[in-house]
Amino acid sequence: MATPSRQQPTLYVIDDEFVPPDRGDEQDGPRGAAPAGGDPDEAVRLLHRYRRLMADILGYEEPLPPPASEADIAAAEDDLGLALPPDLRALYGVADGDGDLVNPLFDRNEWFSLAEIADHDDEWLDIAQEWQYEPWRRTVFDSRPPGAVRRSPLRPDWIRFATDTGGNWLAVDMDPGPRGRPGQVIAVGVDYGEGPTYVADSVTAFLRRLVEALERGAYVRHDTSLWIESDLPDLPVEPAEYSGGPPSPEDARQAGPRVQKVRVTGAADCAFLAETPDVLSLALASDGAPDLSALGGLPVEYLELDVAAADLAAPARNPELRALSVASARPVELAPLRSAPRLWALDIAAAPVADLAAVAGLAGLRYLEVTAEQWRGLSALGGPPHLAVVGVHPRRPRREWPLGADWTTEYGTPPATTG
C-alpha cells in the first residue's frame, strides 16, 4: 500500500542476511488440536469414484502411474522431515502422483509424485522479499476462517502436493494457526501474497467436494478437459478492504466481515476504527492533525500517515505496530516510538523531524527510510545501531498531499522536492 507518487530511495543493505520478520512465526499453534478429519479409506474410495465419474463424462479413462511402495513413502517423509497426513499417504498407495493426466486429480492442479513433493524452486519468495519491492509495507492477512492458517507466505511444514504450474500450490498444512488443524488443505504461492487461502478441512474433504460437484453436473467441458465448478476456492481470497471517507457502520458492513485493510481520507479522528476492529493495515490521509488515540488498542501492524501534523504517542502504545510511514507538513516527534515494542521499519523521508536523535533509541529498528539530509544528521550523531537496510532519498520525496492542501497559506514554503 505504497503512497502514490513517492520516489524509490537508493537502498543500502548493511545486513544481507536479514529478511522481513514472518508474522506466522509469532502465532501460536492450536493447543491439543486433533488432526484434520481426513479418512484414508474414504479418500481412496473417493479417488476411485472420482475416476469413474471422469471416465463416464469423458468417455475414456486416463491411466494413473503405479502406486508408491511403503518404502518410497517412508523415504519421502524422511526427506520432508514430516509425516504425510494419513489420507494423502493412502492416495500415494494407489498412485504415485497423477503423471501426465490431461485432467489432473486435484482439478487443474497437477498431483506431485513423491520424487517431486519436496523439490520446489522458491525463487518467487526470494524476489518478493527483495527490498526494492518494499516488503516492509506488505501485510500478510488472516485467513477465513479466522486463525486457521498462520500468516506466512510459506512455511517449512506446509507440504505442497499439487501445483497449478503457474507458481501456486495446494499444500497440506502440518503447522496450522491457532484455530486450524494439522492436515488441512491450503493454497499458497505467487498469487497469494496477501495471505494463504484455506481450501478444505482435509484432502478427503477436498476430494469429496470434487466428487459431489461432478455428481450434480457442476463442471464445464473444454474439448478433453473438465473444469470442475465446486465450492472450493480456486483463487486467492482477498481480505475485506475499505477505502474512502471515514466509514459509517453501513459502509463497514458493505465492505464485508472482518475488514483488515483500510485507507481513509479526510478523517478528523480515528473513531471510525470502531467499525473495523480487525484492521491490520491502515493508511490515513488528512489535511489536519487527526486524533490518533483510537489506534492504541487495535491490531494495526502497518500504519501510513499522510497528514499536516502527527502525534505519534497513541500509535506507539500499540503493541502490534511493526512498520510506520509518516508524511507530515509540521515536524513530528519520534521519541514516543521508543515504547513501540515491535517496530522494525520506519519511513520518515517525507516528514520534518523535531528529534532526529530519537531514532538511535529505537532498539528494534532494522529498516529506515530517510532523506540524504536526515541521514547526514544521523551519521553525525553516530548513526542508529542494528540497521539492516537504509533507504536514502536525495531530497524530501514529492507527495500528493491530501485534499489539495494549500501549503503556501497554511504551512509556509514547502520543503524542496525532487523533480
Side-chain angles (χ1 to χ4, degrees), residues 397-414:
R398 182 187 298 276
R399 304 300 292 251
E400 294 294 336
W401 292 98
L403 308 181
D406 185 341
W407 280 84
T408 304
T409 57
E410 289 195 55
Y411 311 125
T413 303

Side-chain angles (χ1 to χ4, degrees), residues 135-341:
W136 67 276
R137 293 183 185 269
R138 210 161 39 236
T139 303
V140 177
F141 295 98
D142 197 10
S143 61
R144 302 179 210 161
V149 188
R150 289 183 188 263
R151 291 173 46 209
S152 299
L154 190 65
R155 299 190 67 78
D157 291 358
W158 291 351
I159 304 174
R160 288 169 280 178
F161 65 92
T163 179
D164 69 355
T165 72
N168 301 304
W169 297 268
L170 293 175
V172 282
D173 179 2
M174 308 308 292
D175 184 20
R179 297 181 183 177
R181 296 203 293 171
Q184 62 193 14
V185 177
I186 61 175
V188 300
V190 295
D191 293 331
Y192 296 82
E194 292 199 322
T197 291
Y198 177 94
V199 175
D201 178 66
S202 63
V203 173
T204 307
F206 188 105
L207 277 174
R208 185 185 304 120
R209 286 161 66 184
L210 293 180
V211 167
E212 290 169 352
L214 290 177
E215 288 176 336
R216 65 176 181 266
Y219 58 83
V220 176
R221 183 167 181 174
H222 299 273
D223 296 324
T224 58
S225 298
L226 286 183
W227 288 20
I228 302 175
E229 297 181 337
S230 67
D231 57 354
L232 293 163
D234 58 359
L235 294 171
V237 178
E238 296 181 357
E241 177 178 352
Y242 175 83
S243 181
S248 65
E250 179 60 25
D251 293 332
R253 282 193 294 272
Q254 290 179 357
R258 299 194 68 242
V259 174
Q260 299 181 65
K261 189 175 184 181
V262 174
R263 180 180 286 275
V264 167
T265 302
D269 58 43
C270 291
F272 64 87
L273 290 173
E275 311 301 335
T276 58
D278 297 312
V279 59
L280 299 174
S281 176
L282 172 65
L284 180 65
S286 172
D287 60 359
D291 179 359
L292 305 177
S293 57
L295 287 171
L298 290 167
V300 175
E301 297 179 9
Y302 172 73
L303 175 62
E304 182 177 294
L305 299 174
D306 201 342
V307 295
D311 181 351
L312 301 181
R317 290 195 296 271
N318 184 338
E320 299 301 326
L321 184 66
R322 287 157 169 80
L324 172 65
S325 175
V326 184
S328 174
R330 299 169 188 160
V332 296
E333 294 188 1
L334 302 180
L337 296 178
R338 292 173 178 166
S339 63

Side-chain angles (χ1 to χ4, degrees), residues 92-131:
Y92 279 107
V94 176
D96 188 6
D98 56 22
D100 298 320
L101 297 185
V102 173
N103 291 282
L105 174 64
F106 293 104
D107 184 27
R108 287 167 280 164
N109 289 277
E110 297 180 2
W111 181 23
F112 289 129
S113 68
L114 289 172
E116 299 168 313
I117 199 169
D119 183 18
H120 305 295
D121 180 358
D122 290 326
E123 183 181 5
W124 63 277
L125 185 57
D126 296 333
I127 292 172
Q129 292 179 333
E130 290 179 1
W131 292 102

Side-chain angles (χ1 to χ4, degrees), residues 355-379:
D355 55 346
L356 196 59
V359 174
L362 305 180
L365 197 66
R366 305 304 308 277
Y367 178 91
L368 177 65
E369 198 163 315
V370 290
T371 63
E373 181 181 0
Q374 288 171 331
W375 183 246
R376 285 192 293 270
L378 285 168
S379 298

Side-chain angles (χ1 to χ4, degrees), residues 73-85:
I73 298 172
E77 291 177 324
D78 188 58
D79 287 343
L80 289 166
L82 295 166
L84 296 173

